[in-house]
Amino acid sequence: MATDELLPPACAFAVSVLAEYEQDPEAVPEEAVEAARQHMASCPRCKEASAASATKRKKKKVRRASPSESSAPAEGDEAAVAASALASAEPFQAPPPPAQPPAAPAFPSPLPGSESQEQTIRISPPSAGDGLIDCQQCRQLLPEYAEAMDSGQNVALLYPEVQAHLLVCDTGCLVLLDLFRQEAKANRKYRRRPVRDPFRVMWWEISGFFRGGLVPIAPRALAFGTLILVLLLTSLTAFLAIRWDDARYYHPPNTHLLPTPDGIGLSDGLKIFDACNAAGYQDKRQAAQAMREGNSKKAEALLSAAVSISDTTGCNSAEAAIYREDLRVRLSGHPYGIIVVSFDSGPGVADPQGGTDRHILYAAYTQELVGAYISQEQYNSAQMKIPGAPLLYLVLANTTGEEEGALQIANTVATLNAKGNFQDFGLQVSGRPPILAVLGLAPSRLTEVVLPVLCRAGVPLIAPTASGLFIIDLLTQTSLYRHCSPGFAFIRFSADDSAQSRAGADYAYNELGARNVAIFYDPSNPSSSSSAHYFSQYFTAHRHARIVAQETAVASGLLDANGRPQASRDDLLAGLKDALQAQPRPDLIFAPLLSNDVMTLAEAIAQLPRDQQPILLIGGEFVQPTAIQKLVPWVRQNQLALPRIYVTVSSAARPPSGDSPWPKQFYAAFCTLFASPGSFCSGAAALDQGALLFGDGVEMVALSLSQNQQPGQQPQSNQGEGESQAQASPSFPTPAQLVQRISNQSFNGVSGPIALRFWDNVLVTSTRAAPAILELQQDGSIQIAQ
C-alpha cells in the first residue's frame, strides 16, 4: 500500500484502538479492543497493509503468502500489526466520496502461473539529496518522538523527517524507539499536563515569574483566567481609588464608640444606664468613680457638667440630673424616702471593653426620667428650706424592656423592703430609709409579671403607662390579690385601652367620616388584642359602620437594630395588601401595634397614590408620637405623599391652665433644663406622655408626704453622708397610709386633671382620665386634634 494512501474509517478506528490499547490497556474498553481485533483479522486490506509494513521494516525477502496462509495473523502479532499500521499511516481524514472505484493495493501481485515464486523487494539506501536524516540525527530526536507518541500527538506532522527515516532504517533506530517508548510510558504519570482550571491559571500568572519554568496551559483556561484576573485587578483599583478619594475629600461625622451601659439593675449613681450622649456618658462614668472614692465635690461637678451639655439629637441628661439630686439629698442631712423609678434603657450589657454606636443605645424612655426628676427637684427645693423635712430619693431601675429584667427588679425591691441591705445591691443609701413606691414597670406585659411579687412585699405600684385593661380584670378576678400584704395597691390615673379605643372609634366615625375599617393587631399581646376588641365594639355600634378586614402581626422572635421586638415586614405588607383588596375598600386602618410595625405600615401606605391612601389611626400603649415624626423627612426624601396619621394617647402636653402652680413649675423647669436648643418647649410633641405621667406619679407621692408634717415637730434624719446625728427621724407614712392619702387626691396634673378613688382594696384609678387624639401635620409637627 502506498504511504500516502488514506485508510478507510473502519481500518483507521481499529488501528487507533489497538495503538491506544498498547499505550494504556486500562484506558480502552475491552469491547472496543475485541472489535478492533476482529476487524484486523477479517479485513483483507489490513492484512496486506500489515504484511507490507513488516516487509519494509524487516527489509528482507518476503515469501508471497498463499490465500490459505494469509487468512488471519497470529494473535501474538496483533500489537505489532497495529503499531506497523500506525507508523505507516498518515493522520486519518475523512476522504471525499470516491468518483471511481478505489485503486488496487500498491503491493506487487503474483504473476499468473507462478503463485509459489518469491519476489525480492529492494529499497535503495537514502541519499543526501532525498532530504532524509541519518541515524545519528534520528537518535537525537527519538526521545521527543517517543514522548509525543506516548502523549497521543500526531508524530507524522510534528516529526516528518524522523517518520520517513524510521520507514527505511535497517539499523537499531527502531529498537531504540521501543526503549524510549517504554521509558515515556513509565514516566507518563510524572509528565506535566496542561492546566485547565482558570483559577490555577491566575495563580500561575501571578507566581510564575518567581517559580520559573514553562507550564502547559489550555487556551480556554488561559483566556478565562486572564479575564478574571483583569476584572479583579480593575475592581480592586477602582475600590482603592474611591476610598482614597473619600479619605482625601470627604470626612464623615465622628461616630462615638462607647462602652456598653450597665444592664439590668438598680442605681443611684454608680451604674450608668443611658449612653445616648457621648460626653455626658463619660462625665457620668467619671462621677461614679469619684463617688466610689468618696470625692463628693468632684462627683457633683461632673454630674453638673453632664446636665449642662446641650444635645440636638434627642438625648437628654435626666439620668445625670437625678444622680446629682440624690447626691445633694445624701449630703443635706435630711431624712428621705425612696421611690424606685423603673424605665427601659434599651439593650446593653455590663462590658467595659465593649463598644457600639451610641444611637443604638439610645434610651427610648428617658423622657420618663425627665418628668420624674422635675417633680423630685421641685419638691426637694421647697423641703430643704424646712429643717429636717423629709425629701424624695429616686433610685433608677433598668429593666431593658424584658420580662426577666422586670421580675429581677421586683424581687430586688421586695428584698430591700424586707431587709434594707441597700449597699449589697450597689446603692449608696445608708441606714434603712423606707421604700415608698415603685413607679413604672410597664408596659402591661411587664406589669403582669411583677404584680404577684409586689403583692407579697406590700409595696404600692404606680404604673400610669400600663394601660392594658386586662390588668384590672387580673386584680379583681384572682384570689391572690385578696391576700396581699398591707400597703400594696395598683395605682393608674391614666386612660386605659378601652377609653382610648372608644375615643378613637368615635373620632374616626364622627370627625374623619370613616365607615369601613381594617384592624391590625397582635394576638400574642393582651393590650393589643383588647384595644382591637374595644375599637371594633365601639365603632360598629355606629350606624353603617363595619369592620371589613382583621389582620394579625405577631411581634415575636424578630428584633430591630435597637433590640426592640417587631413583626415580620413581609407579613405586614402581605396583610396590608389583603386588607386593601377587601370589598368595600377600607378608608381607615386601626393599628394598636409597636412603633416599628406602625412605621412599616405608614411607609407602605405613603407609596400609594394619594386618592388610594387609607387613614392610619394608631392606638394602644406602644407608640410614642415623637417616633412618628421621623416619617415626614423620609416621605420628603422619597418624594411621596404623606398619609393622614392620627394617634390615640393617654395624655399630651397642653398649655398650663387654672390656678394650680404645679403645671407651670413643671414646664418652666423643662424649658430651662431639657428643651433642645433652637426648638420649642411647648406643643403636643415637646414631651412624651411618659414624661407627663411620671411627673404626676412622683408629684402625688410628694403631696402625700407633705400631709405627714405637723407644726412644731422635730424630725430625726437617717445617718448618712454629712448628716447631723442630733436630729430625730420623722414618722413617714406606712405603705397603707400612703395609698390611702394618694387615693384621696384631686389636682390638676401635667398629664390632665386627676381625681383618684380607691376600690376593691387594691385598685386606685382616676375618674377624670381623658385620652387625647394627636394628628401628624405635613410640616412634621404634632397637634392635638381632640
Side-chain angles (χ1 to χ4, degrees):
M1 185 176 77
T3 57
D4 58 346
E5 183 178 354
L6 299 178
L7 293 176
C11 299
F13 170 78
V15 171
S16 62
V17 168
L18 293 177
E20 187 175 357
Y21 178 76
E22 181 184 4
Q23 296 178 8
D24 190 357
E26 297 180 356
V28 182
E30 295 181 0
E31 294 80 358
V33 175
E34 185 67 22
R37 288 176 177 175
Q38 291 180 1
H39 176 80
M40 296 292 293
S42 60
C43 179
R45 186 168 187 175
C46 292
K47 297 176 185 178
E48 294 175 358
S50 62
S53 175
T55 301
K56 292 180 181 180
R57 291 190 56 183
K58 293 183 179 180
K59 196 177 181 181
K60 67 177 181 179
K61 293 183 179 180
V62 179
R63 181 175 60 87
R64 193 176 307 276
S66 63
S68 60
E69 293 177 347
S70 61
S71 60
E75 293 183 359
D77 296 336
E78 290 176 353
V81 172
S84 300
L86 177 64
S88 62
E90 293 185 4
F92 170 75
Q93 296 180 355
Q100 58 186 0
F107 292 94
S109 58
L111 295 176
S114 59
E115 297 179 358
S116 61
Q117 185 179 3
E118 296 182 357
Q119 181 178 2
T120 303
I121 302 176
R122 298 183 178 273
I123 301 176
S124 61
S127 62
D130 296 337
L132 302 178
I133 61 176
D134 55 13
C135 292
Q136 184 178 1
Q137 295 174 341
C138 175
R139 291 171 183 175
Q140 293 177 355
L141 297 176
L142 276 181
E144 299 179 7
Y145 183 86
E147 185 174 351
M149 289 185 65
D150 190 70
S151 301
Q153 302 180 23
N154 191 346
V155 293
L157 199 61
L158 296 176
Y159 303 95
E161 66 278 3
V162 178
Q163 179 86 352
H165 174 77
L166 291 176
L167 292 175
V168 298
C169 179
D170 56 354
T171 58
C173 292
L174 293 176
V175 177
L176 189 60
L177 175 62
D178 292 338
L179 296 177
F180 282 138
R181 290 186 63 184
Q182 294 177 9
E183 183 180 358
K185 184 176 181 180
N187 297 334
R188 183 185 303 166
K189 63 179 180 179
Y190 302 106
R191 192 177 304 128
R192 183 172 292 169
R193 296 183 179 180
V195 179
R196 301 185 182 278
D197 187 358
F199 296 97
R200 291 187 60 194
V201 171
M202 293 168 52
W203 174 245
W204 273 103
E205 288 179 334
I206 296 174
S207 62
F209 176 79
F210 304 98
R211 302 172 70 172
L214 299 178
V215 180
I217 298 177
R220 179 174 295 182
L222 179 62
F224 281 108
T226 305
L227 177 61
I228 295 173
L229 182 61
V230 171
L231 292 177
L232 289 177
L233 292 177
T234 304
S235 302
L236 180 61
T237 303
F239 173 76
L240 294 177
I242 293 173
R243 291 297 302 270
W244 176 79
D245 184 71
D246 291 343
R248 182 177 180 182
Y249 297 104
Y250 303 99
H251 302 283
N254 295 328
T255 301
H256 300 281
L257 295 181
L258 301 173
T260 53
D262 298 323
I264 300 170
L266 303 178
S267 175
D268 56 357
L270 299 184
K271 292 182 180 180
I272 310 302
F273 297 135
D274 182 13
C276 184
N277 184 276
Y281 179 82
Q282 298 295 347
D283 289 338
K284 287 184 288 187
R285 282 292 185 194
Q286 296 177 15
Q289 183 61 32
M291 284 186 280
R292 290 188 183 95
E293 297 172 354
N295 193 343
S296 301
K297 184 176 181 180
K298 179 180 178 180
E300 184 176 4
L302 289 169
L303 291 173
S304 298
V307 172
S308 62
I309 292 176
S310 60
D311 195 306
T312 60
T313 63
C315 304
N316 63 69
S317 54
E319 183 183 29
I322 290 176
Y323 291 158
R324 183 184 63 178
E325 185 65 21
D326 287 346
L327 177 60
R328 293 174 179 175
V329 170
R330 294 197 302 270
L331 296 175
S332 66
H334 286 248
Y336 53 86
I338 295 176
I339 299 179
V340 179
V341 180
S342 170
F343 79 110
D344 173 11
S345 73
V349 294
D351 182 9
Q353 303 300 327
T356 184
D357 190 342
R358 69 187 183 95
H359 291 290
I360 295 179
L361 298 173
Y362 169 60
Y365 296 95
T366 51
Q367 280 203 340
E368 297 174 348
L369 302 185
V370 171
Y373 166 74
I374 293 177
S375 181
Q376 178 199 25
E377 193 274 335
Q378 293 290 326
Y379 172 78
N380 287 344
S381 297
Q383 292 294 98
M384 283 186 180
K385 300 177 183 178
I386 304 174
L391 304 179
L392 284 178
Y393 190 89
L394 301 186
V395 173
L396 300 187
N398 184 22
T399 65
T400 68
E402 301 295 333
E403 295 180 0
E404 295 81 359
L407 188 59
Q408 179 178 332
I409 294 300
N411 289 323
T412 302
V413 171
T415 302
L416 292 177
N417 188 61
K419 300 180 179 179
N421 51 344
F422 293 93
Q423 295 181 357
D424 294 345
F425 291 92
L427 300 177
Q428 303 176 79
V429 175
S430 60
R432 293 194 61 177
I435 297 180
L436 302 175
V438 176
L439 177 61
L441 289 179
S444 299
R445 64 183 180 88
L446 302 185
T447 304
E448 182 181 9
V449 174
V450 303
L451 281 177
V453 179
L454 298 180
C455 170
R456 291 189 295 266
V459 178
L461 173 62
I462 305 174
T465 54
S467 58
L469 190 62
F470 71 94
I471 297 296
I472 302 298
D473 298 335
L474 180 68
L475 292 170
T476 56
Q477 299 175 10
T478 305
S479 60
L480 169 66
Y481 301 106
R482 296 286 181 271
H483 309 284
C484 295
S485 299
F488 170 75
F490 175 77
I491 304 172
R492 182 175 68 194
F493 51 88
S494 58
D496 55 27
D497 290 343
S498 175
Q500 295 183 47
S501 297
R502 182 168 189 170
D506 293 342
Y507 188 81
Y509 184 87
N510 297 322
E511 303 298 332
L512 301 179
R515 295 297 182 268
N516 304 307
V517 172
I519 297 179
F520 284 73
Y521 69 100
D522 184 357
S524 64
N525 191 301
S527 182
S528 177
S529 299
S530 62
S531 296
H533 170 73
Y534 285 109
F535 181 89
S536 176
Q537 176 181 339
Y538 293 128
F539 183 76
T540 54
H542 295 89
R543 186 179 180 183
H544 301 303
R546 71 184 75 180
I547 305 299
V548 297
Q550 291 191 13
E551 304 291 339
T552 60
V554 180
S556 60
L558 298 176
L559 302 178
D560 64 358
N562 294 330
R564 310 288 180 183
Q566 61 180 354
S568 171
R569 179 180 179 86
D570 295 337
D571 292 345
L572 279 171
L573 296 180
L576 178 61
K577 182 179 179 180
D578 293 342
L580 294 179
Q581 292 178 353
Q583 295 297 332
R585 181 184 177 89
D587 44 22
L588 183 141
I589 294 178
F590 178 68
L593 299 174
L594 300 174
S595 298
N596 293 325
D597 302 336
V598 168
M599 291 296 293
T600 300
L601 291 176
E603 292 175 359
I605 294 175
Q607 299 178 22
L608 298 175
R610 183 181 294 274
D611 58 346
Q612 299 181 13
Q613 292 180 349
I615 302 172
L616 181 59
L617 177 61
I618 307 166
E621 61 182 358
F622 313 102
V623 178
Q624 298 171 334
T626 53
I628 307 300
Q629 290 180 302
K630 299 179 182 179
L631 181 66
V632 176
W634 181 85
V635 168
R636 292 176 178 174
Q637 182 180 1
N638 293 275
Q639 299 180 355
L640 301 175
L642 181 68
R644 299 173 64 186
I645 299 179
Y646 297 86
V647 186
T648 62
V649 292
S650 296
S651 63
R654 303 174 185 269
S657 60
D659 298 332
S660 176
W662 162 236
K664 298 178 181 179
Q665 295 172 357
F666 180 89
Y667 285 108
F670 169 74
C671 294
T672 303
L673 295 176
F674 299 105
S676 301
S679 64
F680 297 100
C681 60
S682 61
L687 277 173
D688 188 76
Q689 61 177 348
L692 307 176
L693 297 173
F694 271 47
D696 284 342
V698 175
E699 179 66 15
M700 62 178 53
V701 176
L703 294 176
S704 301
L705 291 182
S706 300
Q707 299 176 14
N708 198 51
Q709 300 182 45
Q710 299 178 2
Q713 182 181 10
Q714 295 293 332
Q716 178 183 357
S717 67
N718 301 314
Q719 294 182 4
E721 299 176 23
E723 296 176 358
S724 173
Q725 302 181 12
Q727 296 178 345
S729 175
S731 57
F732 281 90
T734 63
Q737 293 174 344
L738 181 66
V739 170
Q740 189 64 37
R741 293 179 183 180
I742 289 177
S743 64
N744 295 326
Q745 291 179 6
S746 178
F747 64 98
N748 288 328
V750 291
S751 62
I754 297 175
L756 301 177
R757 66 186 180 96
F758 188 36
W759 59 288
D760 210 20
N761 295 323
V762 291
L763 295 172
V764 178
T765 58
S766 177
T767 59
R768 300 177 62 186
I773 306 294
L774 306 181
E775 180 182 2
L776 178 63
Q777 303 295 322
Q778 294 290 332
D779 59 356
S781 63
I782 295 180
Q783 303 294 334
I784 298 177
Q786 176 177 307

